[in-house]
Every structure is written in structure tokens, then in C-alpha cells.
């Protein structure tokens, strides 16, 4: 935030998902993240994941439902 430095919007716990704006147009990341302690994370290629969703309707539905659970939470 200009002039205010980092602003905590959300603190995520183990097993949580961070970021979903890449799934929906305009596919832009709106926030950054800072870790407070050592962690293990998995990063997905946004373009590759969107391609998988488009190419495999069953997988696409499953992934979209899982990501939508993050959105509505």
C-alpha cells in the first residue's frame, strides 16, 4: 500500500491455498506474500493449469470447484 508498507490482508495456515486471481480474466496477480517462517510450498504454472482445465473437462471441473472453495472462503 503506497506510503503504508505491507498490509496484512490474510494469514494462511498449513494446507491453505494462496492466490486464485490467475484463474479468471484478466489473469492478474493483485497481492504479494511474505512468509513468517520456513515453509514448503507448491507452485502451479497458471498458464499450464488453465490449459489442463480447458483440455480435460473432468479435471477442469474438479480443480475449478476446489479453487472456488478458496474464493468463497
Amino acid at each position: 500500500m503506497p506510503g503504508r508498507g505491507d498490509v496484512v490482508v490474510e494469514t494462511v495456515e498449513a494446507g491453505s491455498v494462496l492466490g486464485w486471481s490467475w484463474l479468471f480474466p484478466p489473469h492478474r496477480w493483485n497481492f504479494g506474500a511474505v512468509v513468517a517462517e520456513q515453509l514448503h510450498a507448491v507452485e502451479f504454472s497458471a498458464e499450464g493449469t488453465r490449459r489442463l482445465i480447458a483440455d480435460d473437462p473432468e479435471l477442469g471441473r474438479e480443480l475449478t470447484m476446489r479453487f472456488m472453495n478458496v474464493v468463497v472462503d
Side-chain angles (χ1 to χ4, degrees):
M1 200 164 219
R4 291 185 56 196
D6 292 340
V7 174
V8 176
V9 175
E10 181 178 8
T11 301
V12 295
E13 303 295 329
S16 297
V17 176
L18 173 67
W20 48 264
S21 57
W22 57 269
L23 183 58
F24 304 100
H27 305 123
R28 223 173 306 166
W29 182 254
N30 295 309
F31 300 101
V34 177
V35 298
E37 56 190 59
Q38 185 177 2
L39 62 88
H40 295 282
V42 176
E43 179 181 12
F44 294 93
S45 158
E47 184 177 319
T49 304
R50 287 193 302 267
R51 190 170 38 252
L52 282 172
I53 288 171
D55 291 348
D56 184 334
E58 189 174 331
L59 175 63
R61 182 181 185 288
E62 181 66 26
L63 289 175
T64 300
M65 292 302 292
R66 288 178 184 230
F67 287 121
M68 287 307 297
N69 281 326
V70 173
V71 174
V72 298
D73 187 33

